[in-house]
Amino acid sequence: MKIHADLAERAVVDSATLDWVPSPMAGVERRMLERDGEEVARATSLVRYAPGSAFSAHTHDMGEEFLVLDGVFSDESGDFPKGMYVRNPPGSSHVPSSEPGAVILVKLRQMQPDDEAYVRVNTLDPAAWQAGRPGETILPLHIRPDEEVVMLDWQRGSRFDAQDFPGGAEYFVVEGSFEDQDGRYDQGTWLRLPPSTRQQISTSQGARVWRKTGHLES
């Protein structure tokens, strides 16, 4: 299965327009944003857990990262409510479940073999947020030489200077909306920009976004 699998191509998906597709486990459904492979695949998806559902034990041989968008996601390491960002490195394993139900943005098989960090960040805790450009606050989530993952808050009416992304960029709009020279991206939109993209961002209503950069460079 290939969905937006060419990383050299720009891709935009309004996730709200996608159907929920059943997974192999009852009560667990997916909206597929990008995918290269069958059940074991390089993938970016929204995953919805019905209340009381669970997935069988499995290993992430090339890692997993996710952001909890709603509800509470759980595994043996703890309960992760809305706003939690989690990275489980290559070789990690778990048995995920959700008692009240959950929706998560999840990326699979997209980590480097030497990325051994377990990461847990509560993005709703204001303490770690930092001042960025005028009109922007930033929360670092995971920084490596080949990858930078952050949350960004942009104030209503902000406009930023054009920015170059030699290693590409990827966004998910958690709240609000933003614009660039190619379009407008509302809540729930996933956007991927290929390497060597130049982008100028503005936001009329304000936005909170998850962004990853540097990871698409070949």
Side-chain angles (χ1 to χ4, degrees), residues 5 24 26 55 60-61 63 77 83 93 99 111 119 124-125 133-134 139 144 147 153 155-157 170 177 179 209:
F55 213 91
H60 294 292
D61 57 350
S77 66
S93 61
E99 188 58 34
M111 293 182 185
V119 178
L124 300 184
D125 181 355
R133 297 167 292 182
L139 174 60
R144 286 171 46 93
E147 178 180 319
D153 264 358
Q155 294 177 10
R156 180 190 301 267
E170 188 175 348
S177 67
E179 303 85 37
V209 303

Side-chain angles (χ1 to χ4, degrees), residues 1 3 18-25 27-32 39 46-48:
M1 181 184 299
I3 301 172
L18 300 180
D19 293 330
W20 288 103
V21 178
S23 79
M25 303 302 294
V28 182
E29 301 171 304
R30 299 176 287 204
R31 284 175 167 167
M32 300 180 185
E39 189 53 38
L46 295 184
V47 179
R48 180 170 70 179

Side-chain angles (χ1 to χ4, degrees), residues 10-210:
R10 179 177 179 271
V12 183
V13 180
D14 178 358
S15 65
T17 67
L18 300 180
D19 293 330
W20 288 103
V21 178
S23 79
M25 303 302 294
V28 182
E29 301 171 304
R30 299 176 287 204
R31 284 175 167 167
M32 300 180 185
L33 305 175
E34 66 169 345
R35 195 172 188 89
D36 190 355
E38 299 305 320
E39 189 53 38
V40 177
R42 182 192 192 279
T44 302
S45 311
L46 295 184
V47 179
R48 180 170 70 179
Y49 284 76
S53 61
F55 213 91
S56 55
H58 56 274
T59 298
H60 294 292
D61 57 350
M62 294 178 67
E64 170 197 52
E65 68 178 309
F66 61 86
L67 176 67
V68 183
L69 302 175
D70 196 24
V72 180
F73 177 91
S74 301
D75 64 15
E76 306 93 310
S77 66
D79 298 322
F80 306 109
K82 178 180 178 178
M84 286 297 297
Y85 172 75
V86 175
R87 289 178 72 98
N88 295 317
S92 60
S93 61
H94 65 167
V95 182
S97 64
S98 180
E99 188 58 34
V103 178
I104 63 174
L105 170 70
V106 60
K107 297 179 69 64
L108 301 175
R109 300 179 65 82
Q110 299 181 44
M111 293 182 185
Q112 297 299 319
D114 65 344
D115 190 347
E116 300 178 346
Y118 282 87
V119 178
R120 277 93 172 105
V121 179
N122 179 5
T123 68
L124 300 184
D125 181 355
W129 285 81
Q130 307 168 8
R133 297 167 292 182
E136 175 185 79
T137 53
I138 182 170
L139 174 60
L141 299 174
H142 187 64
I143 309 297
R144 286 171 46 93
D146 57 354
E147 178 180 319
E148 179 177 289
V149 189
V150 299
M151 294 290 294
L152 297 164
D153 264 358
W154 293 325
Q155 294 177 10
R156 180 190 301 267
S158 296
R159 183 177 180 84
F160 305 105
D161 291 339
Q163 189 170 2
D164 292 313
F165 294 106
E170 188 175 348
Y171 296 85
F172 186 82
V173 184
V174 178
E175 296 176 4
S177 67
F178 74 94
E179 303 85 37
D180 67 10
Q181 66 275 12
D182 295 313
R184 174 188 169 102
Y185 314 102
D186 294 319
Q187 181 174 334
T189 298
W190 172 77
L191 167 66
R192 188 186 67 214
L193 304 177
S196 302
T197 295
R198 185 173 179 84
Q199 182 188 42
Q200 184 165 28
I201 285 175
S202 61
T203 174
S204 56
Q205 71 174 68
R208 172 169 287 198
V209 303
W210 170 94

